[in-house]
């Protein structure tokens, strides 16, 4: 039987490199959501930390190893969350950090990267353009390029979420994981399949950024055109072959969801759980909303993976969801 690139012993060792502020995050049944969704829902909350996303679990491992080997600097491309996390982890260890991002990325995320002391270079174009530029900087300056999901440290750092999940929940039927580059999905999936093989690992991606989901379905890398989604944290176009190979081994399904369902999921997390989340963190709820029969009566875990939003934009999104819900109630 083929194995993923991940190693459970390394994942357990990774916990020792990660600042405790990012570990043992809240995991709880959200009973307020259950009558609305028709299934038992547990939330694994990855936003209550200094960078408000799960990404620092991976960057803590990367930065620890770089500092241990005396590396002075590091560069990565990011839509915002990885950049914040690497800036935080690098600053803590005295690394010079450069983040390359699209100038169209969420302004609040870019502001936070700057505030954390990283050098921020903006490029015209999308995240794939930023990836190319970051690779060019690494080659020019002879420094470490961090490639999210390709670098195994990012996957094994994210996999520590899976360790906490299987250790804390005696049984669950499915875990819903946001699917972008694949670090979170392959990391959590690796651990769940090793420890709770009967549980489904279901990856969720927006219809407007479907490259990895299409690649999983066709069992080959599928590159797509321009993305069209509010879920910027998962909006890649060029899947990484090695990451897809891992995903094919651990994912039971890869589903695509509509933008309206993502926004409704964000509104539900605000109304029923008191959580302000970014669109990628609502992908799990969006999947339930679009296929209620599949999850009816089951115990589902959803990973709330980030909460870095532009406040004004967030209010427009959830306000529109509230207005749509009010219209539906009147029509009924």
């Amino acid at each position: 039987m083929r194995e993923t690139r991940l190693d459970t012993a390394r994942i357990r060792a990774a916990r020792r490199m990660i600042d405790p502020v990012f570990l043992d995050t809240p995991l709880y049944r959200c009973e307020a959501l259950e009558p609305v969704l028709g299934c038992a829902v547990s939330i694994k909350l990855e936003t209550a930390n200094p960078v408000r996303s799960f990404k620092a679990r991976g960057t803590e491992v990367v930065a620890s190893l770089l500092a241990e080997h005396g590396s002075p600097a590091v560069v990565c491309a990011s839509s915002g969350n990885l950049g914040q996390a690497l800036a935080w982890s690098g600053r803590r260890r005295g690394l010079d950090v450069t983040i390359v991002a699209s100038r169209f990325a969420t302004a609040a995320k870019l502001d936070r990267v700057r505030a954390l002391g990283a050098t921020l270079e903006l490029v015209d174009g999308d995240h794939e353009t930023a990836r190319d530029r970051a690779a060019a900087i690494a080659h020019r300056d002879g420094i470490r390029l961090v490639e999210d999901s390709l670098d195994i440290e990012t996957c094994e750092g994210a996999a520590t979420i899976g360790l906490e999940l299987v250790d804390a929940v005696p049984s669950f039927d499915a875990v819903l994981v946001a699917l972008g580059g694949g670090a979170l999905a392959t990391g959590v999936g690796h651990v769940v399949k090793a420890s709770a093989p009967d549980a489904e690992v279901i990856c969720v991606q927006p219809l407007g950024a479907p490259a990895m989901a299409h690649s999983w379905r066709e069992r080959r890398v599928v590159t797509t055109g321009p993305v069209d989604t509010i879920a910027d944290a998962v909006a890649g176009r060029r899947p990484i072959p090695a990451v897809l190979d891992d995903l094919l081994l651990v994912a039971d399904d890869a589903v695509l969801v509509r933008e309206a369902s993502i926004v409704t999921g964000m509104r539900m997390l605000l109304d029923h759980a008191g959580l302000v989340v970014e669109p990628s963190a609502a992908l799990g709820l969006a999947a339930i909303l679009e296929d209620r029969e599949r999850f009816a009566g089951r115990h589902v875990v959803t990973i709330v993976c980030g909460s870095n939003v532009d406040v004004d934009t967030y209010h427009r999104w959830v306000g529109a969801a509230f207005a749509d819900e009010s219209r539906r109630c009147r029509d009924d």
Side-chain angles (χ1 to χ4, degrees):
M1 179 178 176
R2 290 171 55 204
E3 296 183 351
T4 71
R5 296 175 300 144
L6 288 78
D7 178 81
T8 301
R10 287 202 308 263
I11 294 167
R12 294 193 180 279
R15 278 185 58 90
R16 297 191 291 272
M17 303 182 204
I18 300 171
D19 190 299
V21 74
F22 299 108
L23 296 174
D24 301 312
T25 53
L27 173 64
Y28 57 94
R29 280 278 295 273
C30 186
E31 295 184 13
L33 281 169
E34 295 175 4
V36 185
L37 296 175
C39 59
V41 180
S42 289
I43 287 173
K44 181 64 169 164
L45 186 63
E46 292 297 310
T47 64
N49 62 58
V51 299
R52 301 199 299 195
S53 84
F54 79 95
K55 291 290 189 181
R57 290 181 184 254
T59 60
E60 282 287 278
V61 181
V62 171
S64 292
L65 293 173
L66 286 174
E68 181 181 322
H69 292 97
S71 299
V74 62
V75 60
C76 79
S78 173
S79 61
N81 286 347
L82 180 70
Q84 290 180 68
L86 188 59
W88 194 94
S89 298
R91 183 181 68 176
R92 182 166 172 258
R93 294 165 178 83
L95 301 175
D96 290 328
V97 178
T98 299
I99 308 300
V100 184
S102 167
R103 66 179 67 256
F104 307 109
T106 301
K109 295 181 179 182
L110 301 181
D111 289 344
R112 186 59 181 155
V113 168
R114 294 186 185 97
L116 287 166
T119 299
L120 179 63
E121 180 172 323
L122 300 179
V123 297
D124 293 316
D126 62 8
H127 180 64
E128 304 304 342
T129 306
R131 284 176 63 185
D132 292 340
R133 176 57 182 161
I137 291 173
H139 179 73
R140 180 196 69 196
D141 296 344
I143 61 175
R144 169 70 183 272
L145 171 67
V146 173
E147 293 193 75
D148 197 23
S149 305
L150 177 60
D151 288 348
I152 201 64
E153 300 96 332
T154 62
C155 302
E156 291 181 342
T160 60
I161 297 170
L163 289 180
E164 294 168 17
L165 173 60
V166 298
D167 286 347
V169 181
S171 65
F172 55 94
D173 298 305
V175 57
L176 296 165
V177 190
L179 178 60
L184 182 62
T186 58
V188 172
H190 173 91
V191 174
V192 169
K193 285 306 174 186
S195 302
D198 292 334
E200 280 192 292
V201 176
I202 302 171
C203 305
V204 191
Q205 199 162 43
L207 272 167
M212 188 61 102
H214 285 334
S215 298
W216 182 88
R217 293 175 181 181
E218 297 192 23
R219 304 188 70 83
R220 64 178 181 86
V221 170
V222 176
T223 301
T224 61
V227 299
D228 183 17
T229 179
I230 62 172
D232 61 317
V234 294
R237 295 188 293 107
R238 294 193 323 230
I240 298 168
V243 182
L244 175 60
D245 288 344
D246 290 339
L247 193 69
L248 290 170
L249 295 174
V250 302
D252 294 292
D253 202 357
V255 302
L256 295 169
V257 295
R258 298 185 297 271
E259 297 294 291
S261 300
I262 298 171
V263 174
T264 300
M266 294 170 67
R267 178 78 200 197
M268 292 177 69
L269 285 167
L270 176 62
D271 287 345
H272 300 289
L275 297 175
V276 174
V277 305
E278 61 188 86
S280 60
L283 287 169
L285 261 62
I288 301 172
L289 288 167
E290 293 197 6
D291 198 353
R292 292 173 185 268
E293 290 186 5
R294 176 177 187 173
F295 300 103
R298 305 176 75 194
H299 181 193
V300 178
V301 178
T302 185
I303 300 173
V304 175
C305 56
S307 64
N308 288 296
V309 291
D310 175 82
V311 174
D312 291 338
T313 304
Y314 176 83
H315 283 309
R316 288 200 301 272
W317 288 332
V318 298
F322 178 75
D324 289 344
E325 184 63 28
S326 297
R327 282 193 295 271
R328 282 194 293 270
C329 290
R330 289 196 300 269
D331 293 342
D332 292 342

